Amino acid sequence: MKVLLFTGLGALFFAYYWADNFDPGGLDYLVLNHLGAAPAGTWTRSVHRTSWLMQVNFLSYVQLTSLALPSLTDSKGSLVVVSSLLGRVPTSFSSPYSAAKFALDSFFGSLQRELDVQDVNVAITMCILGLRDHASAAEGVRGVTRVKAALGPKAALAVIRGGATRVSRVFYPWRFHMLCLLRTWLPRPKAWFIRQELNATATAAA
């Protein structure tokens, strides 16, 4: 079994500078889990910053997928895309980051349907995760959110289990599935719920 896991900004370098030399032959799993983070806060109207986030958090995923898809098709493999709750439910103080994650969800959702129509046996698992307990994530939202960070190893286990069982969606923590459903069913209670988990005063002061 051959698994290729991308994390960190090294994946961006790989996608755009090593593409001509990349041979993913025999690949069974491609796991995309790299991101460019942005501190939570009101939008600074920086097009450059927004463009950079789209490059890291969306376009590099597309590039790496285009390189690996022929090999995954041959092996009937799996593509695991680690995304965020902010790609399903927009919230305050995360506009550029949320936009990139929404693009991920739309692109891979559409790709999944295209592969189904073409009878291509490649599984795509979208992993919708919340805040995790690593230093960079905690620093980016310090003083802004009241949400308790999930344990990183448990989130990783949920991703591994989802990829291994070839399910289309993974939600961790599980309650995020209900929150995503509420986005359509009850938009006002959802907005109220989100406001309870944000410290708007601290963000405005920042």
Side-chain angles (χ1 to χ4, degrees), residues 9 11-13 15-17 34-36 47-64 96 99-101 103-104:
L9 291 181
L12 181 66
F13 179 84
Y16 292 99
Y17 293 93
H34 58 285
L35 62 86
V47 175
H48 176 75
R49 179 65 177 171
T50 301
S51 176
W52 181 82
L53 284 171
M54 292 296 291
Q55 194 84 3
V56 177
N57 292 334
F58 173 56
L59 294 176
S60 65
Y61 278 60
V62 175
Q63 176 74 4
L64 290 165
K101 293 302 183 180
L104 268 187

Side-chain angles (χ1 to χ4, degrees), residues 4-8 10-12 14-15 22 30-34 61 64:
L4 190 58
L5 168 65
F6 286 105
T7 62
L12 181 66
F14 186 97
F22 179 53
L30 174 65
V31 184
L32 301 174
N33 186 32
H34 58 285
Y61 278 60
L64 290 165

Side-chain angles (χ1 to χ4, degrees), residues 53-162:
L53 284 171
M54 292 296 291
Q55 194 84 3
V56 177
N57 292 334
F58 173 56
L59 294 176
S60 65
Y61 278 60
V62 175
Q63 176 74 4
L64 290 165
T65 299
S66 71
L67 293 170
L69 193 55
S71 182
L72 290 174
T73 300
D74 291 341
S75 66
K76 297 179 174 59
S78 294
L79 174 61
V80 181
V81 182
V82 179
S83 187
S84 166
L85 178 65
L86 298 183
R88 300 295 300 278
V89 180
T91 188
S92 306
F93 315 126
S94 62
S95 302
Y97 181 81
S98 186
K101 293 302 183 180
F102 263 87
L104 268 187
D105 192 75
S106 297
F107 176 82
F108 284 102
S110 178
L111 179 60
Q112 191 170 43
R113 285 163 176 76
E114 289 181 20
L115 296 178
D116 288 343
V117 169
Q118 298 169 20
D119 293 323
V120 175
N121 189 13
V122 173
I124 298 180
T125 299
M126 289 293 298
C127 301
I128 314 303
L129 306 183
L131 181 64
R132 281 156 288 171
D133 62 347
H134 53 76
S136 60
E139 185 62 31
V141 298
R142 187 180 303 279
V144 174
T145 182
R146 302 183 181 96
V147 175
K148 184 178 180 181
L151 295 175
K154 289 188 176 181
L157 182 60
V159 171
I160 293 170
R161 185 182 294 116

Side-chain angles (χ1 to χ4, degrees), residues 169-183:
R169 300 278 176 182
V170 170
F171 294 89
Y172 187 84
W174 66 267
R175 67 179 184 273
F176 286 170
H177 193 187
M178 182 58 68
L179 185 57
C180 291
L181 294 175
L182 285 174
R183 177 192 173 201

